[in-house]
Amino acid sequence: MIDPNAFYAGGIAVRTYDLFVEGGAFEGDVDFYRACTRRFGRTVLELGAGTGRIAIPLAQDGCAVTGLDLAPAMLDLAARRIAALPSEAAARIDLVQGDMADFDLKKTFDWIVIAARAFQHLIEPVQQRAALDAMHRHLKPGGHVVMHLFDPRLEFCLPDAPAPQQAREVWDPAAGCRVRRTIIARHNDPLRQVVGERMRLETFDQAGTVVATEETSWALRWTLRQEMTWLLELCGFQPVEQWSDFHGAPPAYGKEQIWVARAA
Ligand SMILES: C[S@@+](CC[C@H](N)C(=O)[O-])C[C@H]1O[C@@H](n2cnc3c(N)ncnc32)[C@H](O)[C@@H]1O
């Protein structure tokens, strides 16, 4: 069984996390969430806040943001970035270590964001439901939740679907080196709707020689759109908007699921 969160424990994976998120399925997400603050309010809870990639721009726009995450290494990186901000923006962000399926912050928010598929690291339906129940308790009446998941392409969900051997490379300006991330194995469990991926991360010197390697993993639960509709409704939310990208494209098979739901 693949550890759903090994990836976030530290090392090259965490250090280069933001570099690999840029573009692709996430293109435009920061601006989308910035626009949400203008629509839904300025007190925000981000679940699975990670490195602060979303929380920091929201705080720079004047929002009071609480960022909750399970992984100390991701929170450490976020804390270092926050410490480098002007003090007024830094003071608007609180980081909390915790589990989005089991938390009690004793306050409520205008809206809650779960960006970059973080909700999909809850690999058991009971965790998904517990997280949505906790979100409902943490929203002001009529508050909103905004979530980003991928929409599963069914051929990738089959038990014998091949691992993609897909490698991506980025330049790490802080370390001054090239970094490669390769999916080296994938295991699909259609019964549980879970995909586990093993990955290798490598850094290279200027001559192209590997200088550091690590192997890690994560697991994600895929959720179909209609299943997500029922899950939101079951937990007291009314879905109000659905998109397949961050530029207003309507729902589409195999793309992204971007949900806006209101606490009923
Ligand atoms: C894909 S990253 C998203 C980070 C950030 N939201 C972003 O948009 O870049 C997923 C994050 O969810 C966190 N996470 C996974 N399971 C969690 C849980 N049960 N409770 C809280 N955070 C969790 C991971 O530690 C990781 O930081």
Side-chain angles (χ1 to χ4, degrees), residues 140-157:
K140 293 179 183 165
H144 290 81
V145 59
V146 182
M147 305 174 70
H148 171 203
L149 295 75
F150 68 75
D151 191 67
R153 286 180 59 176
L154 297 179
E155 76 269 28
F156 292 155
C157 300

PDB file of all heavy atoms in Angstrom, residues 140-157:
ATOM      1  N   LYS A 140     -19.186  30.488   8.048  1.00  0.00           N
ATOM      2  CA  LYS A 140     -20.287  31.350   8.466  1.00  0.00           C
ATOM      3  C   LYS A 140     -21.538  30.923   7.687  1.00  0.00           C
ATOM      4  O   LYS A 140     -21.409  30.316   6.606  1.00  0.00           O
ATOM      5  CB  LYS A 140     -19.938  32.812   8.137  1.00  0.00           C
ATOM      6  CG  LYS A 140     -18.784  33.324   8.984  1.00  0.00           C
ATOM      7  CD  LYS A 140     -18.431  34.756   8.644  1.00  0.00           C
ATOM      8  CE  LYS A 140     -17.231  35.170   9.482  1.00  0.00           C
ATOM      9  NZ  LYS A 140     -16.587  36.384   8.990  1.00  0.00           N
ATOM     10  N   PRO A 141     -22.728  31.261   8.182  1.00  0.00           N
ATOM     11  CA  PRO A 141     -23.943  30.871   7.444  1.00  0.00           C
ATOM     12  C   PRO A 141     -23.869  31.369   5.997  1.00  0.00           C
ATOM     13  O   PRO A 141     -23.525  32.533   5.748  1.00  0.00           O
ATOM     14  CB  PRO A 141     -25.068  31.576   8.223  1.00  0.00           C
ATOM     15  CG  PRO A 141     -24.510  31.755   9.607  1.00  0.00           C
ATOM     16  CD  PRO A 141     -23.024  31.966   9.447  1.00  0.00           C
ATOM     17  N   GLY A 142     -24.144  30.480   5.056  1.00  0.00           N
ATOM     18  CA  GLY A 142     -24.100  30.853   3.641  1.00  0.00           C
ATOM     19  C   GLY A 142     -22.692  30.971   3.080  1.00  0.00           C
ATOM     20  O   GLY A 142     -22.508  31.410   1.936  1.00  0.00           O
ATOM     21  N   GLY A 143     -21.688  30.551   3.870  1.00  0.00           N
ATOM     22  CA  GLY A 143     -20.296  30.610   3.398  1.00  0.00           C
ATOM     23  C   GLY A 143     -20.042  29.601   2.277  1.00  0.00           C
ATOM     24  O   GLY A 143     -20.844  28.693   2.035  1.00  0.00           O
ATOM     25  N   HIS A 144     -18.911  29.774   1.610  1.00  0.00           N
ATOM     26  CA  HIS A 144     -18.627  28.965   0.412  1.00  0.00           C
ATOM     27  C   HIS A 144     -17.404  28.075   0.597  1.00  0.00           C
ATOM     28  O   HIS A 144     -16.478  28.420   1.333  1.00  0.00           O
ATOM     29  CB  HIS A 144     -18.388  29.872  -0.796  1.00  0.00           C
ATOM     30  CG  HIS A 144     -19.625  30.554  -1.259  1.00  0.00           C
ATOM     31  ND1 HIS A 144     -20.117  31.690  -0.647  1.00  0.00           N
ATOM     32  CD2 HIS A 144     -20.493  30.246  -2.258  1.00  0.00           C
ATOM     33  CE1 HIS A 144     -21.235  32.065  -1.247  1.00  0.00           C
ATOM     34  NE2 HIS A 144     -21.486  31.205  -2.227  1.00  0.00           N
ATOM     35  N   VAL A 145     -17.427  26.959  -0.108  1.00  0.00           N
ATOM     36  CA  VAL A 145     -16.243  26.126  -0.224  1.00  0.00           C
ATOM     37  C   VAL A 145     -15.873  26.056  -1.705  1.00  0.00           C
ATOM     38  O   VAL A 145     -16.760  25.970  -2.571  1.00  0.00           O
ATOM     39  CB  VAL A 145     -16.469  24.724   0.403  1.00  0.00           C
ATOM     40  CG1 VAL A 145     -17.608  23.978  -0.219  1.00  0.00           C
ATOM     41  CG2 VAL A 145     -15.210  23.897   0.345  1.00  0.00           C
ATOM     42  N   VAL A 146     -14.581  26.166  -1.987  1.00  0.00           N
ATOM     43  CA  VAL A 146     -14.084  26.123  -3.365  1.00  0.00           C
ATOM     44  C   VAL A 146     -13.046  25.004  -3.421  1.00  0.00           C
ATOM     45  O   VAL A 146     -12.076  25.008  -2.654  1.00  0.00           O
ATOM     46  CB  VAL A 146     -13.457  27.478  -3.768  1.00  0.00           C
ATOM     47  CG1 VAL A 146     -12.986  27.435  -5.214  1.00  0.00           C
ATOM     48  CG2 VAL A 146     -14.455  28.614  -3.560  1.00  0.00           C
ATOM     49  N   MET A 147     -13.279  24.046  -4.309  1.00  0.00           N
ATOM     50  CA  MET A 147     -12.433  22.841  -4.326  1.00  0.00           C
ATOM     51  C   MET A 147     -11.952  22.543  -5.738  1.00  0.00           C
ATOM     52  O   MET A 147     -12.715  22.701  -6.686  1.00  0.00           O
ATOM     53  CB  MET A 147     -13.238  21.622  -3.848  1.00  0.00           C
ATOM     54  CG  MET A 147     -13.871  21.791  -2.512  1.00  0.00           C
ATOM     55  SD  MET A 147     -14.929  20.393  -2.112  1.00  0.00           S
ATOM     56  CE  MET A 147     -13.716  19.138  -1.854  1.00  0.00           C
ATOM     57  N   HIS A 148     -10.744  22.039  -5.829  1.00  0.00           N
ATOM     58  CA  HIS A 148     -10.184  21.635  -7.126  1.00  0.00           C
ATOM     59  C   HIS A 148      -9.750  20.174  -7.048  1.00  0.00           C
ATOM     60  O   HIS A 148      -8.884  19.816  -6.247  1.00  0.00           O
ATOM     61  CB  HIS A 148      -8.989  22.539  -7.472  1.00  0.00           C
ATOM     62  CG  HIS A 148      -8.212  22.063  -8.667  1.00  0.00           C
ATOM     63  ND1 HIS A 148      -6.903  22.410  -8.874  1.00  0.00           N
ATOM     64  CD2 HIS A 148      -8.555  21.259  -9.715  1.00  0.00           C
ATOM     65  CE1 HIS A 148      -6.471  21.851  -9.995  1.00  0.00           C
ATOM     66  NE2 HIS A 148      -7.462  21.140 -10.522  1.00  0.00           N
ATOM     67  N   LEU A 149     -10.384  19.353  -7.900  1.00  0.00           N
ATOM     68  CA  LEU A 149     -10.036  17.929  -8.028  1.00  0.00           C
ATOM     69  C   LEU A 149      -9.760  17.665  -9.510  1.00  0.00           C
ATOM     70  O   LEU A 149     -10.163  18.452 -10.362  1.00  0.00           O
ATOM     71  CB  LEU A 149     -11.201  17.031  -7.622  1.00  0.00           C
ATOM     72  CG  LEU A 149     -11.718  16.994  -6.194  1.00  0.00           C
ATOM     73  CD1 LEU A 149     -12.532  18.239  -5.846  1.00  0.00           C
ATOM     74  CD2 LEU A 149     -12.629  15.779  -6.014  1.00  0.00           C
ATOM     75  N   PHE A 150      -9.164  16.527  -9.820  1.00  0.00           N
ATOM     76  CA  PHE A 150      -9.130  16.157 -11.242  1.00  0.00           C
ATOM     77  C   PHE A 150     -10.352  15.306 -11.561  1.00  0.00           C
ATOM     78  O   PHE A 150     -10.901  14.642 -10.688  1.00  0.00           O
ATOM     79  CB  PHE A 150      -7.825  15.463 -11.645  1.00  0.00           C
ATOM     80  CG  PHE A 150      -7.594  14.080 -11.074  1.00  0.00           C
ATOM     81  CD1 PHE A 150      -8.269  12.964 -11.554  1.00  0.00           C
ATOM     82  CD2 PHE A 150      -6.649  13.889 -10.073  1.00  0.00           C
ATOM     83  CE1 PHE A 150      -8.040  11.692 -11.052  1.00  0.00           C
ATOM     84  CE2 PHE A 150      -6.409  12.628  -9.556  1.00  0.00           C
ATOM     85  CZ  PHE A 150      -7.112  11.526 -10.045  1.00  0.00           C
ATOM     86  N   ASP A 151     -10.784  15.371 -12.827  1.00  0.00           N
ATOM     87  CA  ASP A 151     -11.871  14.514 -13.292  1.00  0.00           C
ATOM     88  C   ASP A 151     -11.228  13.273 -13.914  1.00  0.00           C
ATOM     89  O   ASP A 151     -10.440  13.389 -14.852  1.00  0.00           O
ATOM     90  CB  ASP A 151     -12.716  15.256 -14.334  1.00  0.00           C
ATOM     91  CG  ASP A 151     -13.999  14.511 -14.636  1.00  0.00           C
ATOM     92  OD1 ASP A 151     -14.848  14.424 -13.739  1.00  0.00           O
ATOM     93  OD2 ASP A 151     -14.146  13.997 -15.764  1.00  0.00           O
ATOM     94  N   PRO A 152     -11.520  12.074 -13.371  1.00  0.00           N
ATOM     95  CA  PRO A 152     -10.747  10.901 -13.805  1.00  0.00           C
ATOM     96  C   PRO A 152     -11.010  10.502 -15.256  1.00  0.00           C
ATOM     97  O   PRO A 152     -12.158  10.412 -15.678  1.00  0.00           O
ATOM     98  CB  PRO A 152     -11.240   9.809 -12.850  1.00  0.00           C
ATOM     99  CG  PRO A 152     -12.573  10.268 -12.378  1.00  0.00           C
ATOM    100  CD  PRO A 152     -12.521  11.756 -12.352  1.00  0.00           C
ATOM    101  N   ARG A 153      -9.926  10.284 -15.994  1.00  0.00           N
ATOM    102  CA  ARG A 153     -10.055   9.669 -17.329  1.00  0.00           C
ATOM    103  C   ARG A 153     -10.100   8.173 -17.107  1.00  0.00           C
ATOM    104  O   ARG A 153      -9.168   7.590 -16.541  1.00  0.00           O
ATOM    105  CB  ARG A 153      -8.865  10.061 -18.205  1.00  0.00           C
ATOM    106  CG  ARG A 153      -8.986  11.503 -18.665  1.00  0.00           C
ATOM    107  CD  ARG A 153      -7.842  11.913 -19.512  1.00  0.00           C
ATOM    108  NE  ARG A 153      -7.688  11.093 -20.711  1.00  0.00           N
ATOM    109  CZ  ARG A 153      -6.780  11.337 -21.652  1.00  0.00           C
ATOM    110  NH1 ARG A 153      -5.981  12.377 -21.536  1.00  0.00           N
ATOM    111  NH2 ARG A 153      -6.674  10.553 -22.708  1.00  0.00           N
ATOM    112  N   LEU A 154     -11.189   7.562 -17.560  1.00  0.00           N
ATOM    113  CA  LEU A 154     -11.473   6.200 -17.118  1.00  0.00           C
ATOM    114  C   LEU A 154     -10.421   5.189 -17.571  1.00  0.00           C
ATOM    115  O   LEU A 154     -10.162   4.213 -16.874  1.00  0.00           O
ATOM    116  CB  LEU A 154     -12.883   5.795 -17.546  1.00  0.00           C
ATOM    117  CG  LEU A 154     -13.974   6.665 -16.885  1.00  0.00           C
ATOM    118  CD1 LEU A 154     -15.370   6.264 -17.356  1.00  0.00           C
ATOM    119  CD2 LEU A 154     -13.901   6.611 -15.366  1.00  0.00           C
ATOM    120  N   GLU A 155      -9.772   5.448 -18.714  1.00  0.00           N
ATOM    121  CA  GLU A 155      -8.754   4.478 -19.152  1.00  0.00           C
ATOM    122  C   GLU A 155      -7.543   4.480 -18.217  1.00  0.00           C
ATOM    123  O   GLU A 155      -6.811   3.501 -18.143  1.00  0.00           O
ATOM    124  CB  GLU A 155      -8.341   4.700 -20.615  1.00  0.00           C
ATOM    125  CG  GLU A 155      -7.410   5.864 -20.880  1.00  0.00           C
ATOM    126  CD  GLU A 155      -8.155   7.158 -21.196  1.00  0.00           C
ATOM    127  OE1 GLU A 155      -9.300   7.339 -20.739  1.00  0.00           O
ATOM    128  OE2 GLU A 155      -7.563   7.996 -21.904  1.00  0.00           O
ATOM    129  N   PHE A 156      -7.350   5.570 -17.476  1.00  0.00           N
ATOM    130  CA  PHE A 156      -6.238   5.623 -16.530  1.00  0.00           C
ATOM    131  C   PHE A 156      -6.594   4.977 -15.188  1.00  0.00           C
ATOM    132  O   PHE A 156      -5.736   4.848 -14.320  1.00  0.00           O
ATOM    133  CB  PHE A 156      -5.816   7.072 -16.272  1.00  0.00           C
ATOM    134  CG  PHE A 156      -5.195   7.755 -17.456  1.00  0.00           C
ATOM    135  CD1 PHE A 156      -5.238   9.135 -17.569  1.00  0.00           C
ATOM    136  CD2 PHE A 156      -4.569   7.022 -18.457  1.00  0.00           C
ATOM    137  CE1 PHE A 156      -4.673   9.771 -18.667  1.00  0.00           C
ATOM    138  CE2 PHE A 156      -4.006   7.647 -19.558  1.00  0.00           C
ATOM    139  CZ  PHE A 156      -4.055   9.027 -19.668  1.00  0.00           C
ATOM    140  N   CYS A 157      -7.871   4.596 -15.026  1.00  0.00           N
ATOM    141  CA  CYS A 157      -8.315   4.054 -13.738  1.00  0.00           C
ATOM    142  C   CYS A 157      -8.366   2.526 -13.741  1.00  0.00           C
ATOM    143  O   CYS A 157      -8.693   1.928 -12.714  1.00  0.00           O
ATOM    144  CB  CYS A 157      -9.701   4.591 -13.396  1.00  0.00           C
ATOM    145  SG  CYS A 157      -9.750   6.383 -13.258  1.00  0.00           S
TER     146      CYS A 157
END
